[in-house]
Amino acid sequence: MTLNGRRILLGVTGGIAAYKTPELVRRLREAGADVRVVMSAGAEAFITPLTLQAVSGHRVRTHLLDAEAEAGMGHIELARWADQVLIAPATAQVIARLAHGFADDLLSTLVLATEAGVWIAPAMNRVMWDARAVRENCRVLEARGMHVLGPGVGDQACGEQGAGRMLEPDEIVGQLRGREPVLAGLRFVVTAGPTHEPIDPVRFLGNRSSGRMGFAVAEALAEAGARVDLVAGPVRLATPPGVERFDVATAEEMLSAVSARIDHADGFVGVAAVADYRPASLAGDKIKKSGQPLTLQLVENPDILATVARRRPKPFVVGFAAETRDLESAARGKLKAKGADLIAANRVGQNRGFDTEDNTLEVFGADCHWSLGNRSKRDLARELVAIIAERMQPKEHRNQQ
Ligand code: C5P
């Protein structure tokens, strides 16, 4: 997607990252975009309208009730003019205002009045970014179709380290351009969700996996141009666009669905929380209370990931690890034991990991490690897919496409 000729309305709000916005405007204009800037009152504490006027080539608007400016291009006209709205930096304040539909300043009014897509690049202290109110507000915005860019992880102006840094101007421009089809021509098989191992006709052994992370990975792979077969355990989720889905219930069914599709796959991502054990036998009738303790005999399930990793030629194999402690050593152990190329590990426990919207991921390869901070599972999936694309690059089969 090209930015050439695109009309971008840039909203600047009051964070220290506002000092990067002249560079952002320059980059957008270099890419061919026409940029008009609106500043919140807070933004003016960090940067002057004159600076942004100079780099954008247009007068900067700061107030809703400005008779002179309204006589030129009124706010409704400005909202209609935009092909795309970008808010960078977006403070916790503007995120909250947008989530609640405020219309008492120019920027929030424009967002309500536009039919253009809205992208926001948050910038704030890492603890603020993790605050429940901010997470929930971001979720509301994403559910309404807005796009949250980043934030990045790294040094912050407040002297701390963590997620909350506004993405660099180049990264923002890259994201507005759209996602590159970095995996075009490649085929992936993804597993997602829990497995249900039947005990009797009405009961099963299961777990709390919602399937959201696996579905997000399948979606991100498809967005990156890959052909994706998604083998899903019992979950209540819509199939992501461009993904072919096969529903299964048990680990054995999951293994046969994967085996039937893995022959021509270039990559396998095992996100499913596969039950390690299943009942040794399935009772034909519902088990009744007997007043005595009941012992269920369990037998081990096949390890789908390890089975795929033993194939030759071997596809690029990514596993997940949900751990309650010793994340790194457990993940590195799994990398070796299962023969995976990457293990994406996350901490689970009370209100963490399973059945939640947000997550953190630590990704380990034999000689590398990435920390992906607290963000939506969709964003994490996109970053994981970028890592997969980068790590698959040198592989021979990549060149044969
Ligand atoms: O050993 P553990 O269950 O922690 O490993 C998790 C990883 O292995 C996940 O990627 C999961 O999808 C995969 N797995 C599998 N088959 C199993 C158990 C786990 O594919 N039976």
Side-chain angles (χ1 to χ4, degrees):
M1 237 198 308
T2 170
L3 290 180
N4 200 19
R6 189 115 40 109
R7 295 185 295 216
I8 297 181
L9 181 65
L10 171 65
V12 181
T13 67
I16 177 64
Y19 83 89
K20 293 184 178 170
T21 52
E23 181 64 17
L24 176 60
V25 173
R26 273 194 40 214
R27 296 287 158 142
L28 290 168
R29 292 194 69 194
E30 277 165 17
D34 187 1
V35 184
R36 288 176 187 252
V37 182
V38 167
M39 292 172 74
S40 72
E44 288 187 70
F46 292 93
I47 186 164
T48 70
L50 195 59
T51 311
L52 289 168
Q53 175 177 313
V55 287
S56 69
H58 296 287
R59 196 177 150 188
V60 171
R61 288 206 50 181
T62 51
H63 291 96
L64 179 58
L65 306 174
D66 176 340
E68 196 192 326
E70 286 288 308
M73 190 189 267
H75 66 275
I76 297 294
E77 234 176 307
L78 191 55
R80 274 200 210 119
W81 169 87
D83 294 322
Q84 204 160 10
V85 176
L86 167 65
I87 304 180
T91 56
Q93 165 78 347
V94 77
I95 290 171
R97 295 163 62 78
L98 297 185
H100 291 277
F102 276 51
D104 59 350
D105 75 355
L106 181 58
L107 184 56
S108 45
T109 306
L110 286 168
V111 171
L112 285 183
T114 191
E115 286 177 334
V118 179
W119 274 253
I120 64 172
M124 67 197 74
N125 163 273
R126 66 176 179 86
V127 183
M128 291 174 73
W129 173 248
D130 278 342
R132 265 186 76 183
V134 175
R135 314 279 353 102
E136 283 168 18
N137 287 335
C138 282
R139 213 144 42 230
V140 166
L141 298 186
E142 284 189 309
R144 288 184 197 146
M146 293 190 195
H147 308 266
V148 178
L149 306 177
V153 180
D155 290 333
Q156 300 204 299
C158 50
E160 295 190 34
Q161 269 267 337
R165 181 181 61 77
M166 187 177 88
L167 292 188
E168 294 302 325
D170 270 349
E171 294 172 300
I172 294 178
V173 172
Q175 299 244 13
L176 292 191
R177 273 210 174 98
R179 297 173 208 292
E180 306 272 332
V182 283
L183 296 176
L186 298 192
R187 300 169 72 131
F188 276 76
V189 176
V190 178
T191 63
T195 61
H196 285 181
E197 310 295 334
I199 297 170
D200 67 17
V202 294
R203 304 187 179 93
F204 57 81
L205 290 176
N207 60 66
R208 289 173 52 205
S209 166
S210 66
R212 283 194 204 113
M213 190 69 221
F215 275 56
V217 168
E219 181 172 15
L221 287 166
E223 264 176 16
R227 232 192 95 176
V228 185
D229 286 345
L230 172 62
V231 179
V235 293
R236 282 192 216 159
L237 292 173
T239 309
V243 166
E244 200 159 345
R245 170 176 179 174
F246 307 90
D247 287 317
V248 296
T250 67
E252 288 185 302
E253 287 169 14
M254 190 172 270
L255 176 61
S256 35
V258 168
S259 303
R261 286 161 187 92
I262 200 71
D263 267 352
H264 303 290
D266 302 280
F268 173 78
V269 190
V271 198
V274 184
D276 290 327
Y277 292 91
R278 66 175 184 279
S281 59
L282 168 63
D285 290 310
K286 188 177 167 195
I287 298 172
K288 296 263 192 290
K289 273 192 291 223
S290 68
Q292 295 297 313
L294 175 71
T295 304
L296 278 180
Q297 173 131 34
L298 303 179
V299 294
E300 210 169 311
N301 267 328
D303 191 310
I304 302 168
L305 190 86
T307 308
V308 171
R310 280 196 297 270
R311 292 178 68 91
R312 296 292 176 270
K314 174 176 153 284
F316 189 86
V317 173
V318 184
F320 269 68
E323 304 294 338
T324 48
R325 52 156 71 196
D326 298 333
L327 193 75
E328 174 154 9
S329 60
R332 291 209 177 277
K334 246 162 236 183
L335 198 63
K336 267 209 166 141
K338 302 208 182 212
D341 295 284
L342 293 174
I343 291 280
N346 63 304
R347 270 178 227 288
V348 290
Q350 273 197 325
N351 301 326
R352 287 176 92 152
F354 278 154
D355 211 10
T356 56
E357 289 285 352
D358 286 354
N359 213 346
T360 58
L361 273 189
E362 304 278 331
V363 184
F364 299 93
D367 53 357
C368 45
H369 170 219
W370 297 261
S371 278
L372 311 180
N374 195 5
R375 62 195 63 191
S376 69
K377 288 183 176 173
R378 244 183 168 169
D379 263 9
L380 285 173
R382 286 183 181 138
E383 294 208 29
L384 178 65
V385 165
I387 293 171
I388 293 173
E390 191 190 306
R391 301 298 288 186
M392 284 179 81
Q393 210 79 39
K395 292 242 157 160
E396 241 180 294
H397 61 258
R398 191 92 175 93
N399 304 328
Q400 291 165 3
Q401 299 302 321

